[in-house]
């Protein structure tokens, strides 16, 4: 066991559509492991995102890209459970499963500020804030972070800000750049990990909107 897990194991969850995973996601995962001294960080690609209107890319592609982006990071594991679960993916279900698998462990939910602002729309968010410590990364795109979270109930755990430089990158922009033909492979490799850029090109992802 690592020094970080001398007492309760610290287990992180970082969910997203990861369509595609980009460099801000990777930086966020690394910052979370280091700053929260996590024993394990589960990267959880969402199955069906109940909150996103567009159809996501096939699960096999998002899983493969997540493996390429995060697979080499220490204490980080790509966790395919939401892709295997039928129906919409709800974070509370995954957190409860992680809690059951790690009795006595401390759970940390890693989210960007845009997601945090919408937390009250999440299924059973009141239970979610009881079982997980919410860790928030600021986002450069201010329109995504307009709303403020006002729980109107006392939170059992203080919110934890994650320290990392603002990175103005989003999967939406990356898909748009590929669709419009603006992104060259070298250009793409400045936004996503290089193996992900090669995967996008090889599988001709995001060619059509
Ligand atoms: P899309 O543009 O398709 O909505 P995205 O870039 O927001 O995608 P997601 O997979 O939806 O990526 O995000 C997963 C998590 O990563 C969310 O909690 C989101 O807030 C966070 N995140 C994404 N991009 C950034 C960024 N540039 N800085 C900080 N957090 C981010």
């Amino acid at each position: 066991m690592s020094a970080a897990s001398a007492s309760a194991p610290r287990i992180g969850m970082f969910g997203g559509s990861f369509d595609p995973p980009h460099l801000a996601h990777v930086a966020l995962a690394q910052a979370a492991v280091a700053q929260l001294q996590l024993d394990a960080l589960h990267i959880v690609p969402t199955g069906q995102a109940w909150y996103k209107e567009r159809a996501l890319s096939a699960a096999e592609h998002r899983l493969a890209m997540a493996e390429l982006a995060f697979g080499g990071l220490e204490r980080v594991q790509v966790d395919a459970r939401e892709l295997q679960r039928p129906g919409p993916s709800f974070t509370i279900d995954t957190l409860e499963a992680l809690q059951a698998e790690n009795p006595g462990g401390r759970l940390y939910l890693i989210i960007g500020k845009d997601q945090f602002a919408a937390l009250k729309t999440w299924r059973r968010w009141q239970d979610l804030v009881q079982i997980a410590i919410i860790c928030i990364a600021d986002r450069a795109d201010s329109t995504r972070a307009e709303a403020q979270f006002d729980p109107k109930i006392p939170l059992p755990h203080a919110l934890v800000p994650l320290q990392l430089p603002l990175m103005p990158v989003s999967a939406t922009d990356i898909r748009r750049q590929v669709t419009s033909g603006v992104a060259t492979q070298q250009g793409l490799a400045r936004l996503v990990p290089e193996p992900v850029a090669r995967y996008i090109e090889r599988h001709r992802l995001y060619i059509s909107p």
Side-chain angles (χ1 to χ4, degrees), residues 17-18 22 25 52 112 114 139 144 167 169 171-172 175:
S17 41
F18 301 124
H22 52 63
H25 292 140
K52 289 206 173 175
D114 58 316
R139 264 192 101 150
R144 289 176 181 255
M167 297 178 71
V169 46
T172 303
R175 290 192 303 274

Side-chain angles (χ1 to χ4, degrees), residues 20 169-192 196-198 200-202 204-207:
V169 46
S170 78
T172 303
D173 288 341
I174 293 167
R175 290 192 303 274
R176 273 196 206 125
Q177 288 195 29
V178 177
T179 307
S180 65
V182 171
T184 59
Q185 217 217 321
Q186 288 94 324
L188 206 52
R190 284 197 285 271
L191 302 170
V192 300
V196 174
R198 285 200 298 271
I200 290 172
E201 202 186 46
R202 185 162 0 109
R204 301 181 56 75
L205 300 184
Y206 315 124
I207 295 292

Side-chain angles (χ1 to χ4, degrees), residues 14-25 28 46 51-52 54 56 110-116 122 137-141 144 164-175:
F14 180 32
S17 41
F18 301 124
D19 194 14
H22 52 63
L23 292 177
H25 292 140
L28 184 42
T46 188
Y51 55 90
K52 289 206 173 175
R54 79 186 173 87
L56 299 178
I110 318 303
I111 52 177
K113 206 168 183 182
D114 58 316
Q115 297 284 303
F116 174 64
W122 290 21
D138 210 348
R139 264 192 101 150
D141 181 346
R144 289 176 181 255
L164 75 163
L166 289 177
M167 297 178 71
V169 46
S170 78
T172 303
D173 288 341
I174 293 167
R175 290 192 303 274

